[in-house]
Amino acid sequence: MPPIPGSGLAKGLAVTLRTMTKRAHTAQYPDVQPELPPRTRGVIGLFEENCTVCMLCARECPDWCIYIDSHKETLPAAAPGGRERSRNVLDRFAIDFSLCMYCGICIEVCPFDALFWSPEFEYAETDILELTHERDKLREWMWTVPAPPALDPAAEEPKELAAARKAVEKAEAAEAAAAAAAAEAAQAEAAPADAPAAEAAPDGTPQPPTTPETDA
């Protein structure tokens, strides 16, 4: 069936009339902060303790806007005769947000959960050179990262949590058994082995044990 001439114009005017009859809701920003969705891509927060300087985020970034510097540090052997180990120590972690296109690839490829999306968006600068933020600023944004959503109650417990819970329960059971054994040993030591037995009276009531008299 061919469209009726002027039907598109009528639909457009209908939308206009419906909009004109509704009350406008103006967001009073910056006096009232907007309610952003939990997965808003504002800035990238850095959890420095989890970073191992693997450089995977910098290599996968399509804009090459992540700058990482590090040095190697030698750790002494944990036991005598052991081998010394070396680890990477993070010196600089910076992101140039004038180049970042907020694709989130760096967050997805990070194998140690060191990068997170933060809904923070108030970081405009008058100079483009000041949009390169160092790790101190990225760490401050880390505390604005919203908490992850709650797990589905009907979902299967993760294997890592199940293993950790079993390990904790096993350790608690071992501690309880050790405490019970120590209490029994202490109780056995407190009771004298050669204590005289209590004598019974003719009516059956126990009498305190008698002690031998000593010569004056």
Side-chain angles (χ1 to χ4, degrees):
M1 181 177 178
I4 301 175
S7 59
L9 178 60
K11 291 180 180 179
L13 292 176
V15 173
T16 303
L17 292 175
R18 286 198 303 268
T19 306
M20 291 176 59
T21 56
K22 293 181 180 179
R23 183 178 180 181
H25 295 277
T26 304
Q28 301 297 330
Y29 177 82
D31 297 332
V32 178
Q33 293 293 325
E35 295 182 2
L36 301 175
R39 299 180 65 182
T40 299
R41 296 189 176 189
V43 290
I44 299 174
L46 171 66
F47 192 57
E48 188 175 335
E49 285 76 6
N50 287 357
C51 182
T52 60
V53 201
C54 65
M55 305 292 292
L56 191 58
C57 56
R59 289 197 300 266
E60 296 296 331
C61 178
D63 293 332
W64 293 88
C65 64
I66 300 177
Y67 312 111
I68 301 176
D69 293 332
S70 65
H71 70 276
K72 286 189 176 296
E73 184 179 83
T74 302
L75 299 178
R83 181 172 60 88
E84 294 182 347
R85 297 183 179 273
S86 62
R87 68 169 183 175
N88 292 325
V89 179
L90 183 65
D91 293 330
R92 185 195 184 198
F93 195 108
I95 299 178
D96 187 356
F97 284 97
S98 65
L99 298 177
C100 179
M101 63 179 183
Y102 305 91
C103 63
I105 293 178
C106 58
I107 298 175
E108 294 177 1
V109 300
C110 180
F112 302 105
D113 291 336
L115 299 174
F116 296 87
W117 278 120
S118 167
E120 183 67 32
F121 63 94
E122 297 178 324
Y123 59 98
E125 301 290 347
T126 57
D127 189 355
I128 193 173
L129 298 177
E130 297 180 359
L131 285 175
T132 301
H133 294 287
E134 302 292 335
R135 64 177 183 175
D136 294 337
K137 189 63 176 180
L138 301 180
R139 184 178 181 85
E140 291 180 8
W141 283 333
M142 181 62 205
W143 310 124
T144 63
V145 174
L151 299 177
D152 187 358
E156 182 180 356
E157 185 179 21
K159 296 180 180 179
E160 295 81 2
L161 294 181
R165 179 174 51 80
K166 290 181 181 179
V168 171
E169 292 177 355
K170 185 177 181 180
E172 291 178 351
E175 291 179 0
E184 292 179 359
Q187 186 177 4
E189 292 177 358
D194 55 349
E199 300 179 356
D203 56 355
T205 58
Q207 298 292 329
T210 58
T211 56
E213 297 179 358
T214 57
D215 296 337

